[in-house]
Amino acid sequence: MKKIGVFTSGGDSPGMNACIRAAVRGAIYHNIEIFGIKHGYNGMISGEIIKMSSHSVSNTIQKGGTILKTARSKEFLTVEGRKKAYEQLLKHNIEGLIAIGGDGTFTGAEVFYNEFGIPTVGCPGTIDNDLFGTDYTIGYDTAVNTALDAIDKIRDTADSHDRVFFIEVMGRDSGYIAIFCGIAGGAEIVMVPETLTSLDTVAETLNQGWNRSKTSSIIVVAEGDEEGNATEIAKKIREKTNNKFDIKVSTLGHIQRGGAPTARDRILASRLGLGAVEGLMKGYKNVMIGVVNEQLTYTPFADAISKSKPISQELINMVNILSI
Ligand code: F6P
């Protein structure tokens, strides 16, 4: 393989730049020409393809966002769009791709291979940590630490005013951010889409805490929880507890997607970016590279996308035990 492309796609996550850097420098080290494709699949279709040099990734390892920009491409969902993308790759003689993104990105890459035969190795880049085949995804650790910093600050004011806070964190279908920052932030309750949490239990836990002279509480809610978002849940709890508590809601939102990546994310991203180049060289295709028990692994896209990575029951139980 002499020429490859790298791109970021879907929601950005801190550490994507470290991954691009590792892919670019890893390719150059192995005498492979590497092109950056901007705006994800959209740029592949429109031909936003630029030759990368070692210098083009200087001073990027510490930066959040993605220097290659990103998009969720509607046009790539069509066969016409994918044909245009293939023609653009042909123009540059690009024979393989490194896709940094999540499940939507990998689904597109697999379809693209089946139609046009361009192999892709995927690097898991999403704050949600919802991909099977890797213990952690690029950006997750940073997002957890960003959310935790906010929770610590909210706890100060919650305590001063004797308030109950519902704090909503990201995670469309996944409670990973919620469970980690909930445990690390000492939350009384964590509500995640993976488990059913009855609102009666939430009300009861708050009442029991009140009876034990607990004057403030933090409830971390993953945005994808089955009971709704934090605002909706807070409304239901106000009703269930007859407005006994002074309840506030804070939605952390996109701050979780930005900022300088943690050391953990930079190291993970560097390993995955270099491993993706070396995976393509070894002939891997339609696989996601990951780190499982500290070892690099390659998991078929089909498994990475469809298999679930459940949150450990031990962590879920621990929230209840430690919040007494
Ligand atoms: O998949 C990452 C993620 O941040 C989810 O946690 C969230 O639901 C979604 O992206 C938000 O996407 P957008 O930035 O397009 O609103």
Side-chain angles (χ1 to χ4, degrees):
M1 197 162 283
K2 286 276 150 246
K3 294 187 186 191
I4 62 173
V6 59
F7 63 100
T8 48
S9 165
D12 61 351
S13 66
M16 280 185 161
N17 286 327
C19 191
I20 297 167
R21 172 181 177 272
V24 168
R25 298 214 166 146
I28 293 168
Y29 174 85
H30 287 295
N31 296 315
I32 295 172
E33 257 186 79
I34 180 155
F35 294 82
I37 302 165
K38 298 191 92 175
H39 293 109
Y41 288 119
N42 281 347
M44 202 183 288
I45 292 168
S46 62
E48 284 187 88
I49 300 175
I50 47 169
K51 174 99 185 281
M52 303 294 276
S53 67
S54 172
H55 187 65
S56 37
V57 290
S58 298
N59 197 23
T60 60
I61 195 166
Q62 79 284 16
K63 290 189 177 143
T66 159
I67 56 166
L68 290 177
K69 312 280 186 129
T70 187
R72 301 190 201 272
S73 175
K74 290 217 166 64
E75 205 180 346
F76 199 76
L77 297 176
T78 68
V79 69
E80 295 79 21
R82 293 192 293 273
K83 185 158 183 292
K84 283 188 204 161
Y86 174 64
E87 282 158 5
Q88 293 291 353
L89 296 183
L90 267 191
K91 272 193 206 166
H92 294 86
N93 297 317
I94 292 174
E95 303 157 279
L97 293 169
I98 295 174
I100 308 167
D103 49 5
T105 307
F106 302 156
T107 305
E110 175 127 51
V111 174
F112 193 52
Y113 175 79
N114 292 336
E115 288 170 349
F116 299 102
I118 303 279
T120 297
V121 172
C123 297
T126 164
I127 63 166
D128 290 353
N129 197 33
D130 58 350
L131 291 164
F132 174 87
T134 190
D135 289 340
Y136 298 106
T137 55
I138 299 166
Y140 170 66
D141 186 60
T142 308
V144 166
N145 280 289
T146 301
L148 180 61
D149 181 56
I151 291 169
D152 287 348
K153 287 173 175 151
I154 290 170
R155 187 177 274 290
D156 289 345
T157 179
D159 184 51
S160 304
H161 284 266
D162 295 337
R163 281 175 169 159
V164 171
F165 265 84
F166 284 80
I167 304 176
E168 183 180 305
V169 298
M170 275 187 165
R172 207 175 7 207
D173 307 306
S174 154
Y176 269 98
I177 297 177
I179 199 82
F180 262 42
C181 66
I183 290 170
E188 273 63 32
I189 301 166
V190 178
M191 299 180 70
V192 295
E194 289 86 346
T195 58
L196 299 176
T197 313
S198 98
L199 294 183
D200 287 336
T201 307
V202 174
E204 184 55 24
T205 304
L206 290 176
N207 279 324
Q208 284 170 0
W210 178 272
N211 294 340
R212 292 194 311 272
S213 309
K214 197 180 263 240
T215 56
S216 69
S217 294
I218 300 285
I219 297 153
V220 176
V221 179
E223 64 177 331
D225 189 76
E226 72 286 348
E227 289 291 351
N229 62 30
T231 306
E232 290 158 354
I233 294 172
K235 186 166 176 277
K236 293 178 197 168
I237 294 297
R238 276 191 200 101
E239 283 160 13
K240 277 192 184 296
T241 54
N242 300 319
N243 287 317
K244 172 173 165 187
F245 300 100
D246 183 1
I247 293 179
K248 296 280 174 184
V249 176
S250 186
T251 301
L252 303 186
H254 285 79
I255 61 161
Q256 295 159 95
R257 288 246 295 264
T262 58
R264 233 171 216 287
D265 271 329
R266 295 182 203 192
I267 293 162
L268 175 67
S270 300
R271 290 183 76 185
L272 297 180
L274 175 58
V277 172
E278 293 178 345
L280 279 176
M281 291 169 68
K282 286 179 196 148
Y284 281 109
K285 51 180 171 285
N286 296 335
V287 292
M288 183 194 82
I289 183 166
V291 173
V292 177
N293 294 330
E294 283 310 314
Q295 301 300 313
L296 286 182
T297 53
Y298 297 88
T299 302
F301 280 152
D303 290 346
I305 297 160
S306 67
K307 290 195 177 168
S308 65
K309 186 169 71 174
I311 295 177
S312 110
Q313 193 58 43
E314 179 215 333
L315 296 182
I316 293 170
N317 294 345
M318 196 164 76
V319 177
N320 303 330
I321 295 170
L322 299 188
S323 66
I324 53 169

